[in-house]
Amino acid sequence: MARVRKAVLPVAGLGTRFLPATKAIPKEMLTIVDRPLIQYAVEECRAAGIEEFVFVTGRNKQPIEDHFDHAYELEATLEARGNKQVELAQTREATITTGKAIFTRQQKPLGLGHAVWCARPWIGNEPFAVLLPDELTLSTPGCTAELVALSEKTGGSVIAVMDVPREQTSRYGIVAIRNDDGTVAEVTGMVEKPKPADAPSTLSIIGRYVLLPEVFDHLDKHETGAGGEIQLTDAMARMIGRSPFHAMRYRGARYDCGNRLGFLKANVAVSLARPDIARESRALLASLLKS
Ligand code: UTP
């Protein structure tokens, strides 16, 4: 199978669960400690050897483009100050090399499947990764790196899944599997947001995918599914049986930062894990819990 070199980052959603914060600021620019969610997704891609990024954006998403651009005035000022080398390096870390990032607009938020379809001219005929940046995954070497490595072994498409309580299946895409070795299983079906009684398992799709370009053939039809949206899950479901399709149980940390408590949890967890602020964060939390 061809190497996975490109990632699609769908960031056109309205972020309604996070209003009013997301009225003027993209959800993906909300920060976990000191970097925006979208930067974690780009770093996860880089750890997987991915070099090219297609951002599917919408109105009000300009700050994402600016974040990955060269910030001439800021960098020149930091350089001139002489004692701001760390800050300068941190600023530059958030730059994507010229020509390696494409920003295309979805225009109407018709669903995740439609957002991914908007990226097709820049993907061409090769396998590619998809990351939903509001789902933060933290592990070494990274969820996407694990998926890319697995896809090289199995060929075909691979997606990351995690167990959820049965009463929550109607919030997620859920897979049906067979030949489960405890970590990797063949996918035999998938359904978007099933009622708990109808769910074929409790394994939910967590927003990390490596897909074959054939998914665009199915997305081309623009068929709507759950919630009246063009669902990526439906297009993926049509690929099952035509090419290998595997699910990988992801065992690292994962935070749904599209909702307030998931976002809060991610900020606390990352603060406690960051060597530069871990001790103070712990003390701060202890004192807040006492008061
Ligand atoms: P979500 O449903 O979590 O994002 O979509 P949302 O619509 O922004 O959030 P809420 O529910 O209104 O709070 C999952 C991912 O798919 C993208 C989102 O940006 C997010 O990364 N998406 C969703 C699109 O790019 N376009 C869409 O039409 C829908």
Side-chain angles (χ1 to χ4, degrees), residues 14 16 49 143 205 248 289:
L14 300 178
T16 56
C143 185
I205 303 170
M248 179 196 83
L289 287 172

Side-chain angles (χ1 to χ4, degrees), residues 10-17 27-28 106 109-112 115 132-134:
V11 292
L14 300 178
T16 56
R17 284 170 294 159
K27 173 169 68 172
E28 299 77 12
Q106 188 187 11
L110 298 179
L112 175 60
L132 308 191
D134 54 347

Side-chain angles (χ1 to χ4, degrees), residues 160-236:
V161 296
M162 283 180 107
D163 242 319
V164 291
R166 186 162 276 275
E167 62 272 18
Q168 291 180 10
T169 58
S170 59
R171 297 188 203 166
Y172 304 97
I174 301 287
V175 294
I177 55 168
R178 71 173 173 215
N179 295 337
D180 182 10
D181 75 3
T183 299
V184 179
E186 266 175 57
V187 177
T188 58
M190 59 180 84
V191 49
E192 189 60 37
K193 302 187 170 58
K195 290 191 191 120
D198 303 333
S201 77
T202 52
L203 289 174
S204 76
I205 303 170
I206 61 159
R208 294 292 184 276
Y209 318 74
V210 168
L211 299 174
L212 293 183
E214 284 74 30
V215 73
F216 295 124
D217 300 340
H218 304 287
L219 290 171
D220 271 339
K221 298 182 183 123
H222 286 204
E223 283 165 3
T224 53
E229 297 196 334
I230 300 170
Q231 297 287 356
L232 181 61
T233 305
D234 295 340
M236 292 191 299

